[in-house]
Amino acid sequence: MQGNGSATNPWKTIGYGISRMVGGDTLIVKKGLYSGRANFIAGMPSGSPSQYTTIMAEAPMEVRIQNSSSETLGYQENMLAIKGAEGGVGVNINYVKVDGFIFDQVNSLYPPHNGSIGGNFNKLTRSIFRRAGIQDNWGGLLNVGGSNNLIEDVAGVGACR
């Protein structure tokens, strides 16, 4: 059962919550471990200069997003993807804020980075990127492009280059 999105009856996955958002909405994610692609932070709509689209942890550092141990991720399947479809070609996602998560990639060669930020005027705050297990010579934590993006109080740990 998906729930209705309320505090007492939340949606089952982060991805489902994101699919219900329109620009300028806020999605609050409850404490816990969220495993698998359905819980990656991707596909959010752009906000506006006066109202960011916001995805935030209910309690910072108490929401962990992890690939499941049985899945191998594809080259573009970032746990955090503030970018357009198909790697962001021709599409910018702008005015998005993500706050308070731990992105934990384990035993997957791809994607080369746990997170990818493109577009403009996006904010990533109070988050940690962790990588464990296999990697290639590009293996890293966060790829940032676009312009005027704010990365603040963000750390990275683990196996990377």
Side-chain angles (χ1 to χ4, degrees):
M1 180 116 195
Q2 278 289 357
N4 63 14
S6 68
T8 57
N9 193 14
W11 289 312
K12 186 176 180 180
T13 65
I14 295 170
Y16 184 79
I18 291 171
S19 75
R20 310 285 296 179
M21 296 179 83
V22 296
D25 279 356
T26 296
L27 177 68
I28 299 172
V29 180
K30 293 193 145 308
K31 294 188 247 182
L33 172 64
Y34 293 82
S35 184
R37 288 179 181 93
N39 291 298
F40 289 4
I41 297 178
M44 66 288 289
S46 287
S48 67
S50 62
Q51 192 167 7
Y52 276 70
T53 299
T54 301
I55 302 166
M56 61 187 294
E58 177 183 53
M61 301 304 142
E62 293 190 41
V63 175
R64 180 181 298 266
I65 297 172
Q66 188 175 65
N67 59 304
S68 82
S69 59
S70 63
E71 70 186 338
T72 300
L73 301 177
Y75 194 81
Q76 295 290 335
E77 291 183 298
N78 303 98
M79 299 176 144
L80 170 66
I82 303 176
K83 59 184 183 179
E86 297 301 314
V89 177
V91 179
N92 279 334
I93 304 297
N94 305 310
Y95 300 104
V96 169
K97 179 179 181 182
V98 176
D99 178 64
F101 293 89
I102 298 171
F103 297 95
D104 191 4
Q105 183 174 320
V106 295
N107 296 322
S108 183
L109 184 62
Y110 297 116
H113 301 90
N114 295 34
S116 182
I117 299 175
N120 308 300
F121 303 102
N122 297 303
K123 298 177 182 180
L124 173 64
T125 57
R126 299 186 302 175
S127 294
I128 296 174
F129 290 86
R130 178 182 175 271
R131 190 174 185 127
I134 61 173
Q135 60 176 302
D136 67 7
N137 59 336
W138 301 107
L141 301 169
L142 180 64
N143 179 41
V144 180
S147 64
N148 298 298
N149 292 310
L150 173 70
I151 313 298
E152 185 173 69
D153 295 328
V154 173
V157 297
C160 58
R161 299 194 187 263

